Amino acid sequence: MTRKTTLGALAGLALFLTAGCADLAVDNLNNPDRSRALASPSDVESLIGSAYLQYFTAAQYYNNGNALNVAADHGSSSWGNFGMRDISWQPRKTFDNNSSYNYAGVTEAPWTNTYAGVAAAGDGLRAIEGGLEIGDGGEDTERAKAIGRFAQGVGHCFLAMLFDQAFIVDESTDLAAVTPDGYTTVGAAGLGYLDDAITLSTANSFTTEPGWFGDATTDVYTNTEMVALARSYKARCRALMPRDPTEKAAVEWGLVIGDADNGVTEDFAPFGDGVSNWWSGIKTLGGSNEGWTRADMHWVGQADVSGGYQAWVSTPVAQRQPFDVDSPDKRLPAYPPDDFDEGNGPSRFTWFAGIPHPPERGTYHLSHYSPYHWIDYKESSAWDWTGDISELTVTEMNLYMAEGHIRNGNPGAAATLINLTRAHEDHGGLTPVTGAGPVPNEPGGGCVPYPRFDTTQTCGDLFEAMKYEYLMEVFQVSAGLSWAQLRGWGDLIAGTVIQLPIPGSELETLQLDYYTFGGAGMPGGAPGTNESIGPSMEELRQGGLEVALSRAAYSLDRIRERQEQNKNLKPVVVEY
């Protein structure tokens, strides 16, 4: 995707440090009019107003979002694109953090885009700190400060969720002396910026400008709505930062509950016009396209009541074959399914007889179930991907509260929140859970869900029901959500990378030592022994390319045809 670099919104911290400047006020040779622009109140306001879009691009573009989705075995794909094949091999590989890696965008895209937003906010706030006033008589200055702090908070929280360490950067940072901090420190900084945004938004009455949070003229928010949005991002930040179950249990869940309960009251979904950077690659390619990703059997299998999932888990990894799920969950197709059969509720999955992924790359990748959670967005108008782009939802907040209530000893309150989707006729249509304990039997026998990796058909408990609803309802809302949750729950496949390293290109520029994470038994890889059984079939055999081409032809040809029909489509790099 071609990006327009906003004045001062530098692409990454390396650009700051290699400019030889002591602070951000030094002229950037790539932006010769920078000093003049930062002296213009309207340009400074526009710069701050653009900051959130940089984060949004990082969270919705297809690089790291699709990679982390398959690393979590939420989605499944063996295509090389976006690093999906490499990050989901079994047994897991160590992540390739070399700058020459074909899919270095897994780390570089979220890093550079997020810092672009952080830099834009910092530049604008520095100008205000220097005495610049926004609006007639400075009437919009406090609004600009609130939006700047909001962008800094969301950006630093995102970096803390993804990376093991990052740089805390704002308008007061001495870039000549900055050093990386660990993710907990970065996350705490993000929460502090969001608190500042809440304080500023509470104290000042305003409405944001069109274009700051979506393409539509109606994508504007009052100061009160910005407070709610900031509190929702705080809830997400705390809930998704932990790297393991111990850290997850130590979260201040009372604060998560308080923020989520006082957060958004309707889904936050910026409008995308299909042309601008308000666009979602994880939804178009990872959440509504049968040729790119499928639903992993570790996900939909938990809903199976026939014993098929337990048999699949008990089979050596290299010998697994996809199976049809028999489930009372209305979000899944009826059993036995027919080609193109969809669930009875709002479109969640479609069943396809054909599977585009080549078996030579691992039959454990194969699935008949295509997640169609975002089909309305993708097919809104001849595949031009125009419409609202959910980035943070009420259901997501409800399930953070549910987790907090379970951990804080209030299972009844958790059950009520879980049942909002689980038992709703337009969602799961399942038997409601109670706070009493295990998931109840469904009519005809069996439970939904069974725990991940279950081999004994032992019903899941209330906590498992909460986790299952999260995976069902928060699929591809924003990059890395399921991956971050599953690592905190201890449910990632052993060896899966649990955090990303500073990008290799950044390490080279800053002259820092190379490092990386992931791989069975290696640092930064999920612990445990699950999924370590049996031999692997990960190495693509010589000559396997021809098989892959033939099996993938129908979906790839379809994409090309659609691109030809609509020249405004976002470019997709097709790889076999």
Side-chain angles (χ1 to χ4, degrees):
M1 178 188 296
T2 302
R3 300 196 53 77
K4 295 180 180 178
T5 302
T6 309
L7 205 57
L10 306 179
L13 191 72
L15 293 179
F16 300 147
L17 299 181
T18 56
C21 56
D23 59 47
L24 291 177
V26 174
D27 288 344
N28 178 354
L29 296 179
N30 292 320
N31 295 288
D33 294 329
R34 180 175 178 275
S35 297
R36 177 177 60 79
L38 289 177
S40 165
S42 60
D43 285 344
V44 168
E45 184 180 48
S46 295
L47 181 63
I48 291 174
S50 74
Y52 178 80
L53 172 58
Q54 306 295 337
Y55 154 77
F56 183 87
T57 301
Q60 294 292 330
Y61 200 39
Y62 48 63
N63 280 297
N64 68 307
N66 283 315
L68 296 178
N69 182 46
V70 298
D73 292 287
H74 201 184
S76 183
S77 180
S78 60
W79 299 128
N81 305 71
F82 330 128
M84 292 189 295
R85 183 179 66 208
D86 291 341
I87 208 167
S88 61
W89 288 115
Q90 286 188 241
R92 294 293 201 239
K93 288 182 175 182
T94 299
F95 179 76
D96 186 347
N97 195 32
N98 285 291
S99 60
S100 59
Y101 176 48
N102 285 344
Y103 306 110
V106 173
T107 55
E108 288 178 354
W111 180 272
T112 57
N113 279 303
T114 302
Y115 273 117
V118 167
D123 276 357
L125 292 174
R126 179 178 293 100
I128 292 172
E129 194 176 72
L132 187 73
E133 293 187 341
I134 309 295
D136 293 339
E139 64 179 358
D140 294 326
T141 301
E142 296 304 302
R143 178 180 71 169
K145 290 165 64 176
I147 300 306
R149 282 286 186 255
F150 175 78
Q152 289 174 328
V154 172
H156 282 88
C157 278
F158 188 58
L159 292 166
M161 183 186 84
L162 294 181
F163 295 94
D164 71 309
Q165 57 183 331
F167 298 88
I168 299 172
V169 179
D170 60 25
E171 67 280 2
S172 63
T173 301
D174 178 2
L175 291 174
V178 68
T179 56
D181 289 292
Y183 63 88
T184 56
T185 303
V186 176
L191 290 168
Y193 294 133
L194 288 170
D195 280 335
D196 290 345
I198 290 169
T199 299
L200 288 162
S201 297
T202 301
N204 298 277
S205 179
F206 61 77
T207 300
T208 62
E209 295 294 325
W212 290 3
F213 296 101
D215 284 320
T217 57
T218 54
D219 280 338
V220 294
Y221 297 87
T222 66
N223 59 299
T224 302
E225 290 171 325
M226 289 304 302
V227 169
L229 186 57
R231 295 197 69 170
S232 291
Y233 272 112
K234 284 182 63 184
R236 177 189 281 181
C237 189
R238 282 195 171 95
L240 298 187
M241 206 187 315
R243 266 47 178 181
D244 56 45
T246 300
E247 290 187 10
K248 190 79 159 172
V251 167
E252 295 179 272
W253 286 102
L255 296 178
V256 174
I257 293 169
D259 282 326
D261 197 26
N262 290 279
V264 296
T265 56
E266 58 183 47
D267 293 353
F268 174 61
F271 181 83
D273 64 7
V275 178
S276 74
N277 285 338
W278 293 103
W279 178 78
S280 179
I282 58 173
K283 291 176 174 58
T284 56
L285 301 180
S288 57
N289 190 302
E290 69 275 10
W292 286 102
T293 60
R294 291 289 172 91
D296 197 281
M297 298 310 299
H298 270 306
W299 172 20
V300 294
Q302 289 183 266
D304 178 72
V305 297
S306 71
Y309 178 59
Q310 288 74 23
W312 186 83
V313 171
S314 300
T315 300
V317 173
Q319 299 171 27
R320 289 177 181 167
Q321 296 293 333
F323 64 93
D324 294 338
V325 172
D326 182 358
S327 177
D329 192 324
K330 291 185 176 181
R331 289 165 293 201
L332 287 161
Y335 181 85
D338 294 319
D339 214 10
F340 299 102
D341 190 10
E342 297 183 3
N344 297 321
S347 295
R348 289 292 189 273
F349 299 92
T350 299
W351 185 94
F352 288 96
I355 300 174
H357 302 122
E360 289 73 23
R361 296 186 182 186
T363 55
Y364 54 85
H365 287 295
L366 305 184
S367 171
H368 293 292
Y369 293 87
S370 179
Y372 262 33
H373 289 53
W374 305 109
I375 191 65
D376 290 341
Y377 167 62
K378 187 186 81 169
E379 295 190 343
S380 56
S381 179
W383 277 41
D384 66 358
W385 300 313
T386 299
D388 293 332
I389 306 168
S390 293
E391 152 62 20
L392 185 149
T393 69
V394 173
T395 296
E396 180 189 353
M397 295 299 111
N398 288 340
L399 293 170
Y400 293 143
M401 286 193 286
E403 181 170 0
H405 285 311
I406 293 171
R407 292 181 182 277
N408 286 352
N410 192 358
T416 298
L417 292 164
I418 292 166
N419 286 330
L420 291 176
T421 52
R422 172 186 172 86
H424 197 287
E425 62 181 6
D426 289 333
H427 290 261
L430 296 165
T431 303
V433 293
T434 70
V439 173
N441 287 340
E442 296 297 329
C447 301
V448 178
Y450 290 104
R452 265 199 176 201
F453 312 117
D454 174 59
T455 59
T456 62
Q457 281 192 277
T458 301
C459 289
D461 58 14
L462 185 65
F463 197 76
E464 291 295 335
M466 178 275 298
K467 294 194 292 185
Y468 175 77
E469 282 307 299
Y470 190 93
L471 295 177
M472 272 290 177
E473 295 291 334
V474 189
F475 178 75
Q476 296 290 55
V477 165
S478 190
L481 301 189
S482 58
W483 169 74
Q485 280 285 50
L486 287 163
R487 77 177 170 199
W489 295 331
D491 285 342
L492 290 176
I493 286 177
T496 304
V497 61
I498 62 169
Q499 56 191 357
L500 299 178
I502 292 176
S505 57
E506 197 85 338
L507 295 176
E508 292 173 3
T509 301
L510 300 177
Q511 298 183 346
L512 299 174
D513 291 338
Y514 174 90
Y515 73 100
T516 190
F517 296 116
M522 301 297 289
T529 58
N530 58 59
E531 298 294 89
S532 62
I533 55 176
S536 64
M537 292 181 65
E538 287 77 15
E539 299 303 326
L540 180 61
R541 295 201 305 263
Q542 205 67 1
L545 180 59
E546 287 77 13
V547 177
L549 285 169
S550 63
R551 291 182 64 88
Y554 81 93
S555 60
L556 299 174
D557 287 345
R558 187 176 181 185
I559 290 170
R560 292 192 185 99
E561 289 170 3
R562 294 291 188 178
Q563 287 177 320
E564 186 63 28
Q565 292 169 6
N566 191 334
K567 298 299 185 181
N568 289 328
L569 285 178
K570 297 294 179 181
V572 175
V573 178
V574 175
E575 188 198 21
Y576 308 110

